[in-house]
Amino acid sequence: MATTDDFTIRPLRQDEARLPIEWAAGEGWNPGLHDTECFFAADPQGFLVGLVGEEPVATISVVRYATSFGFLGLYIVRTPFRERGYGLRIWIAGKTHLAGRTVGLDGVVAQQENYKRSGFKLAYRNIRYHGLNGAMRALDARLVPLSSLPVTEVLAYDRACFPETRAAFLRCWIAQPGSTALGILGAGGLSGYGVIRPAQDGFKIGPLFADTSQLAQSLFDGLRAYVPEGASIVLDTPELNAAAVAIAERHGMKPVFETARMYTSRAPALPLERIFGVTSFELG
């Protein structure tokens, strides 16, 4: 526990786990309705809260994946308590929690220079696309419920597209209430998967991983078939994956927000050509 004057930092308790999600919704970040449980499953000690007396005023998530990677997010100081140094103090505590690991974040572009001063380097931009679900077309026969596949196969595919293993998180993520998780099969087995889940506003697709743009398109269509026509859909795409951007634009989606994907050391060697939708700006 860290204390400075009347400001105290401690791990968030499970009964408080919705706090940063509610604050994120208030900031307009549109988190998923059931993200809390999965976030906490990823690393129960990975969420810090800063308090003035007994009042929560700041949060940060610093989730550890296995032994080598961590992701920083949900860095929020409530408006009345900004410009008092509380943000810097909880930031330092969060970085200490992730000491010795490569750390990633998706930060607002305006804060890039501040993150650089803390040792982060820009890797690429992620673009949030928003649109309305349109009319459906015939679905690819190779689509299957992800739950019908061995979980080891799903975890292995995910590991190829993420810097570390995240088994506890992923088991929760693909089984969220109200969500749909689909895989698509190729000659060699699982060739992609995706999840769509209800959010504060509409539905969010993430992750969307696939071996080819055609498979990603089939998954995208399969996922949106589970939500009403005219519903809002959000897809967060790495800008460097031109095929992912093309899928969003073909469906009339428009860019509404962007983040700077940054790392504290060399960017992990990920196959961006297979990453069509980011899982979460909060946890990577």
Side-chain angles (χ1 to χ4, degrees):
M1 179 179 293
T3 305
T4 304
D5 302 324
D6 60 346
F7 184 68
T8 302
I9 300 169
R10 62 166 171 78
L12 202 68
R13 299 190 305 266
Q14 189 159 9
D15 64 306
E16 303 170 314
R18 285 207 58 82
L19 184 66
I21 302 298
E22 291 169 354
W23 288 4
E27 295 288 332
W29 297 353
N30 195 25
L33 294 182
H34 304 288
D35 287 356
T36 304
E37 294 79 5
C38 301
F39 283 5
F40 212 74
D43 179 2
Q45 298 299 310
F47 299 84
L48 304 181
V49 60
L51 306 101
V52 173
E54 296 298 319
E55 184 177 2
V57 302
T59 63
I60 196 169
S61 61
V62 279
V63 169
R64 298 167 297 186
Y65 293 104
T67 60
S68 66
F69 185 65
F71 204 85
L72 188 153
L74 293 170
Y75 178 41
I76 305 171
V77 179
R78 290 174 53 204
T79 303
F81 296 92
R82 294 174 183 173
E83 307 299 332
R84 303 188 191 185
Y86 300 147
L88 178 59
R89 295 175 196 175
I90 201 168
W91 173 271
I92 292 171
K95 287 288 297 295
T96 300
H97 183 76
L98 295 175
R101 298 165 183 264
T102 295
V103 181
L105 63 76
D106 275 313
V108 294
V109 174
Q111 293 297 322
Q112 274 189 54
E113 293 306 314
N114 287 334
Y115 296 140
K116 286 178 181 177
R117 284 192 286 272
S118 290
F120 287 86
K121 303 176 183 65
L122 178 67
Y124 52 86
R125 297 192 308 164
N126 284 317
I127 310 297
R128 171 160 292 176
Y129 282 87
H130 175 274
L132 301 180
N133 193 21
M136 291 306 304
R137 56 187 178 185
L139 298 183
D140 195 316
R142 295 170 293 177
L143 293 168
V144 296
L146 207 60
S147 59
S148 69
L149 301 175
V151 68
T152 52
E153 189 173 357
V154 178
L155 293 175
Y157 193 92
D158 184 79
R159 177 64 183 87
C161 299
F162 196 77
E164 262 292 2
T165 57
R166 48 177 181 172
F169 166 79
L170 202 60
R171 284 188 173 95
C172 179
W173 193 256
I174 64 181
Q176 285 190 56
S179 70
T180 295
L182 297 177
I184 192 161
L185 303 179
L190 185 62
S191 297
Y193 87 92
V195 179
I196 191 167
R197 70 194 197 280
Q200 301 287 329
D201 174 23
F203 296 82
K204 298 179 82 170
I205 293 176
L208 180 60
F209 299 155
D211 291 351
T212 69
S213 60
Q214 292 81 7
L215 293 171
Q217 179 66 72
S218 291
L219 279 165
F220 183 88
D221 286 335
L223 293 169
R224 68 186 186 89
Y226 285 84
V227 305
E229 186 173 345
S232 294
I233 292 181
V234 171
L235 178 68
D236 298 328
T237 63
E239 186 184 36
L240 292 179
N241 186 336
V245 172
I247 288 174
E249 292 179 344
R250 272 199 303 273
H251 289 270
M253 303 178 80
K254 304 295 183 184
V256 295
F257 183 68
E258 66 181 72
T259 67
R261 172 60 64 92
M262 307 181 80
Y263 296 99
T264 52
S265 57
R266 180 177 297 179
L270 297 177
L272 288 178
E273 73 279 1
R274 293 167 64 187
I275 300 174
F276 292 81
V278 177
T279 306
S280 158
F281 282 164
E282 294 79 24
L283 264 68

